Amino acid sequence: NRGSLLLAILGLFVLMGLPAGFVSAVFCKMFKGAGTDRVRNTVLTAVLFPGVVFFIFFVLNCVLWGDRSTGAVPFGTLLALLCFWFGMSLPLVFLGSYLGFRINAPEPPVRTNPIPRQVPDQVWYMKSVPSVLMGGVLPFGVVFVELFFILSSIWQHRFYYLFGFMALVLVILVVTCAEITIVMCYFQLCSEDYHWWWRAYMTSGASALYLFFYAGYYLLTRIHIAKATLASASIFFGYIAILSYGFFVLTGFTGFISCFFFVRTIYGSIKVD
């Protein structure tokens, strides 16, 4: 049915507000301690991702309004989305955060030193930017072929019916993100660089940058760029930015949570007298 997929995505996003608030509260309490700003963490969890997506969507809708396009979303629908967000998703995030801050945070597997060690100089390929860019190649390679069919179904009005194959690609993507991030994290720890958490998130999340660049290449080679107006180009790159942002959050969290359990496992196996 027309619009059923979008409604399913919105409904799933709202329901996932509860585990999102819970997980963010647990990790915030574990990394920041008991004195963390709970309200700030909860508000960022509830607002950061949907806020950026809604802002881009609203700007694109303003472009369509200015172009007098029939594809513009009515103002009432936008207001309904806001009510859907602040009336259902936001309270669920606060409820999950409340439950997460009430439980005890996981303890480190070993005793940590309160004085941070100095990180030695790293070789060029183990620095932040080169290692992140190298780590994002493999996850993008997994979705490269499937991305072509998805873009063709959206922008060239072709039928897309390979949802089973897309689910299989999603599983392979998650496994690939976990593996490449764990490998890069292991090399980083071997180089005595213990700042792994944001590096792990960015390593697999960097595949979203390649996705965005490939979409630009797709626009130049597959779509008649000479016939594209400013409005149509803005719509294309706006929606691709939303897609890339969601892909970045998905792959980044997969890499981080994989490295989190990996680090806890290897340090938990250390026997300290």
Side-chain angles (χ1 to χ4, degrees):
N1 296 329
R2 182 178 177 85
S4 59
L5 180 61
L6 183 59
L7 286 177
I9 293 174
L10 290 176
L12 184 62
F13 173 79
V14 170
L15 294 178
M16 292 303 290
L18 182 65
F22 181 83
V23 172
S24 68
V26 170
F27 277 105
C28 184
K29 190 175 181 180
M30 181 181 60
F31 280 104
K32 297 293 185 180
T36 183
D37 190 350
R38 301 185 178 187
V39 177
R40 180 173 178 269
N41 173 75
T42 307
V43 170
L44 285 177
T45 304
V47 173
L48 185 59
F49 176 76
V52 173
V53 173
F54 184 82
F55 175 76
I56 297 175
F57 182 75
F58 181 76
V59 171
L60 296 178
N61 206 50
C62 289
V63 172
L64 291 177
W65 280 340
D67 203 40
R68 300 181 183 275
S69 173
T70 57
V73 178
F75 181 77
T77 304
L78 293 178
L79 190 61
L81 288 176
L82 285 177
C83 295
F84 203 55
W85 175 16
F86 288 102
M88 299 183 64
S89 178
L90 192 67
L92 286 176
V93 173
F94 271 87
L95 176 61
S97 179
Y98 172 76
L99 297 176
F101 279 115
R102 283 179 60 88
I103 69 172
N104 295 325
E107 295 293 333
V110 294
R111 186 174 63 253
T112 58
N113 190 355
I115 303 176
R117 293 180 55 186
Q118 182 179 2
V119 178
D121 293 335
Q122 305 291 311
V123 293
W124 68 270
Y125 54 85
M126 286 306 301
K127 294 186 178 186
S128 299
V129 176
S131 63
V132 164
L133 293 179
M134 287 187 295
V137 174
L138 281 180
F140 171 73
V142 172
V143 300
F144 169 74
V145 177
E146 195 69 13
L147 181 63
F148 172 80
F149 292 107
I150 294 176
L151 292 177
S152 298
S153 66
I154 295 175
W155 301 107
Q156 295 188 357
H157 307 289
R158 296 179 180 177
F159 288 104
Y160 184 84
Y161 47 86
L162 302 175
F163 289 100
F165 185 73
M166 184 171 63
L168 177 61
V169 170
L170 178 61
V171 173
I172 299 175
L173 173 65
V174 171
V175 174
T176 304
C177 289
E179 290 178 346
I180 188 61
T181 311
I182 288 174
V183 170
M184 298 301 292
C185 180
Y186 178 76
F187 289 154
Q188 180 183 353
L189 295 177
C190 290
S191 301
E192 301 182 32
D193 185 359
Y194 54 87
H195 300 290
W196 60 269
W197 37 93
W198 280 113
R199 179 82 70 85
Y201 196 98
M202 298 298 295
T203 296
S204 54
S207 56
L209 183 65
Y210 296 105
L211 188 151
F212 187 82
F213 287 152
Y214 174 75
Y217 172 77
Y218 181 88
L219 175 66
L220 294 175
T221 56
R222 294 289 178 175
I223 302 178
H224 298 292
I225 188 63
K227 299 180 181 179
T229 61
L230 178 61
S232 60
S234 301
I235 295 299
F236 179 85
F237 283 107
Y239 281 117
I240 290 301
I242 294 176
L243 178 64
S244 301
Y245 185 37
F247 192 75
F248 169 74
V249 173
L250 169 66
T251 55
F253 176 76
T254 303
F256 167 77
I257 201 67
S258 303
C259 282
F260 173 75
F261 287 111
F262 169 72
V263 171
R264 287 187 66 87
T265 301
I266 61 174
Y267 279 96
S269 61
I270 298 176
K271 305 299 180 181
V272 180
D273 296 331

